Amino acid sequence: MRQNGTTVPFNFKLVATKMRKLHLLCVVLFISLFGCGARYMTGGETFSSSSEALQKQTENLAHILDKITPTDNPVHGSALVLIPSDVEIHKNYIKFEGNASRIQKEQLDWLITSVTNDCQSAANAIRKRGIFDSVAVERHNGNPASFPIGNYDYLIFADVDGWFIRGKNNPRPISLPFDKNISDETSRRLAFLDLISQQAKALRSQ
């Protein structure tokens, strides 16, 4: 959209707490609408189509996952990893600055898919790291801290406030923040996995 010859961007972003604590690695925080076109940003690059941006995100996340190696000091046991559903992402992870009716379905779907991809990538990294003997992944529709842990030893979940872990006998969730001081995305992911291992061991000893 243009007003008086000036391009006016329409911005949307993830909820502020989500940006601070969950720290999605390759998710774009805004779309700029130029006339009837849109620009999608991911991995520090700008694309003219959502499919191109998603392809780039997929490549970036695959590159990170390729560098994850099995740990030499596993925790063992089983873990259930919960990531938000599409409905939950739409409802609680996104807020609009401006007229939300201007956002097209393709653009909204792109953001939801980007968030899902990043959360799924984190779950894949937990599994590949071999921290636990078995890892299952499910999607939640909100309030994951109260999700039944069943026969699993650990529950790891992504909520709007970040990532958390709790044990079968320890219902209080423990925060798993990404270290924003680590600039390299792979190193940041590895630090996140090491924190999961550390907290799981602490929970096991209680």
Side-chain angles (χ1 to χ4, degrees):
M1 178 179 179
R2 291 181 180 274
Q3 295 179 352
N4 299 325
T6 302
T7 300
V8 180
F10 181 95
N11 295 328
F12 69 82
K13 61 184 179 181
L14 302 180
V15 178
T17 53
K18 180 79 169 181
M19 292 164 58
R20 289 197 305 269
K21 299 179 182 179
L22 186 53
H23 194 83
L24 302 175
L25 293 180
C26 299
V27 174
V28 180
L29 301 182
F30 66 88
I31 286 176
S32 292
L33 300 179
F34 300 95
C36 35
R39 295 293 181 268
Y40 303 83
M41 293 182 61
T42 189
E45 297 183 47
T46 302
F47 301 89
S48 59
S49 73
S50 61
S51 60
E52 290 177 326
L54 288 173
Q55 179 61 34
K56 181 62 177 180
Q57 184 201 30
T58 299
E59 293 171 0
N60 290 344
L61 293 175
H63 178 72
I64 293 170
L65 188 62
D66 283 344
K67 293 187 176 181
I68 303 299
T69 57
T71 180
D72 293 327
N73 190 15
V75 177
H76 298 297
S78 59
L80 173 60
V81 179
L82 297 177
I83 61 176
S85 67
D86 290 358
V87 172
E88 170 67 4
I89 293 169
H90 189 185
K91 180 180 178 182
N92 291 316
Y93 287 58
I94 303 169
K95 69 177 181 180
F96 298 96
E97 296 181 346
N99 183 3
S101 65
R102 292 175 54 201
I103 293 295
Q104 299 176 7
K105 183 179 184 300
E106 177 190 2
Q107 296 153 2
L108 184 59
D109 288 347
W110 164 76
L111 179 59
I112 292 172
T113 302
S114 295
V115 176
T116 298
N117 289 349
D118 199 274
C119 290
Q120 182 64 57
S121 176
N124 293 343
I126 293 170
R127 179 181 284 130
K128 186 177 180 183
R129 187 65 166 166
I131 300 169
F132 309 102
D133 296 324
S134 64
V135 175
V137 181
E138 296 186 25
R139 304 191 73 179
H140 69 80
N141 289 315
N143 198 22
S146 62
F147 198 91
I149 197 170
N151 294 322
Y152 296 98
D153 298 302
Y154 303 94
L155 179 67
I156 301 169
F157 60 89
D159 200 1
V160 70
D161 292 322
W163 283 91
F164 298 85
I165 184 173
R166 69 177 179 88
K168 180 184 288 291
N169 300 317
N170 307 85
R172 185 179 64 85
I174 300 171
S175 178
L176 298 168
F178 274 91
D179 190 342
K180 294 180 292 185
N181 294 321
I182 301 175
S183 58
D184 178 70
E185 293 179 348
T186 301
S187 297
R188 190 160 58 243
R189 182 75 89 190
L190 285 168
F192 172 69
L193 296 172
D194 289 344
L195 180 59
I196 290 176
S197 180
Q198 175 187 333
Q199 295 293 5
K201 289 175 182 177
L203 288 169
R204 183 182 61 184
S205 65
Q206 293 179 4

